[in-house]
Amino acid sequence: MIGQDTACCPGLSAAPLNETRAADLAKVFKALGDPVRLRLMSLIASRGEGGEVCVCELTPAFDLSQPTISHHLKLLRQAGLIDCERRGTWVYYWVLPGALDRLAAFLTTTGPAEVTG
């Protein structure tokens, strides 16, 4: 999953992906490919490193039911992007350390960008 060490997982332009790495990354991109999940990820990540947010703060930002929000959060967790902890009746979410940095490192190319037009 995305939680793997960057040293063992070269960037997109460094080497072709093997089947396992491609499947793991596809799960991450699929999780982020939904507008609701992308917004949820943004809301959680905007708390900064080590920050967390209660599900009670996330739900009102959407015109969706609480079970639907929970489903989207579950998919982000399964993709290895966030984690959570239940405290009493509420669940708190945070971005897993380095998850977004590893994804960014994978997408970063070492050569100059080509301009097409």
Side-chain angles (χ1 to χ4, degrees), residues 27-76:
K27 188 183 290 188
V28 171
F29 286 120
K30 184 175 182 180
L32 292 175
D34 180 271
V36 171
R37 290 191 291 272
L38 192 55
R39 283 188 58 214
L40 282 167
M41 189 70 198
S42 175
L43 288 166
I44 297 167
S46 69
R47 295 299 173 108
E49 191 170 326
E52 58 188 19
V53 61
C54 178
V55 70
C56 65
E57 298 174 64
L58 296 171
T59 305
F62 300 88
D63 190 24
L64 298 169
S65 68
Q66 186 278 324
T68 300
I69 296 296
S70 292
H71 170 74
H72 286 296
L73 290 165
K74 176 183 172 184
L75 293 176
L76 289 170

Side-chain angles (χ1 to χ4, degrees), residues 1-2 17 20-30 103 106:
M1 281 203 182
I2 198 71
L17 291 173
T20 303
R21 183 78 172 129
D24 289 344
L25 282 168
K27 188 183 290 188
V28 171
F29 286 120
K30 184 175 182 180
L103 186 57
F106 169 75

